[in-house]
Amino acid sequence: MDNNYLVLILIAIAIAIVVQMILNYLSSRRSITESLSERPRIRVKVTCVNGDFNYEREFIEGDFVGKIEGKCDKCGGLLIISAIYAEKPLTPIKRSEEHLKHRSKISQ
Ligand SMILES: [Zn+2]
């Protein structure tokens, strides 16, 4: 009789541990996908030293502010990385706001 109780308790503990492991696994998976979708993109702003040309691109490993990118197509001056910044991905709501702002700018 005492032995049966012990077995039941052990089974209950085993089930509790398995359930806990499944919950941990599910929550860790969710946090990984959330962190992936919220990971900010790193953008690099490249500017001509004469200020007549600039563009933005994705960050590439080894980029730093002041790095010479090449020569300006317009004036032959140096293109230099002037800024590196993290861009938070826009949420759907913000994106639609941005869209509206853009539309109102066109209509003005
Ligand atoms: Zn230039």
Side-chain angles (χ1 to χ4, degrees):
M1 192 67 186
D2 275 354
N3 247 356
N4 274 352
Y5 260 120
L6 203 67
V7 169
L8 276 176
I9 289 167
L10 283 175
I11 289 171
I13 289 170
I15 289 170
I17 289 170
V18 169
V19 166
Q20 189 65 46
M21 279 170 67
I22 291 168
L23 288 176
N24 271 348
Y25 175 71
L26 289 176
S27 68
S28 71
R29 262 178 64 124
R30 198 181 302 143
S31 68
I32 286 168
T33 50
E34 274 172 11
S35 66
L36 272 178
S37 63
E38 283 174 11
R39 197 168 58 179
R41 289 194 304 166
I42 310 294
R43 302 286 292 171
V44 171
K45 189 173 184 183
V46 181
T47 313
C48 169
V49 286
N50 295 322
D52 59 350
F53 183 66
N54 70 80
Y55 65 91
E56 285 176 25
R57 63 163 172 78
E58 290 280 315
F59 178 82
I60 300 167
E61 210 179 321
D63 282 349
F64 56 90
V65 173
K67 183 185 173 191
I68 295 166
E69 270 282 294
K71 284 197 171 178
C72 175
D73 285 339
K74 290 190 175 178
C75 68
L78 291 174
L79 288 171
I80 285 173
I81 293 176
S82 59
I84 295 171
Y85 60 94
E87 184 184 66
K88 271 255 168 185
L90 296 173
T91 63
I93 296 163
K94 273 186 185 169
R95 201 172 284 161
S96 63
E97 278 172 3
E98 204 88 341
H99 188 62
L100 286 174
K101 244 186 267 171
H102 190 60
R103 278 179 61 161
S104 65
K105 234 182 252 175
I106 291 168
S107 61
Q108 270 165 12

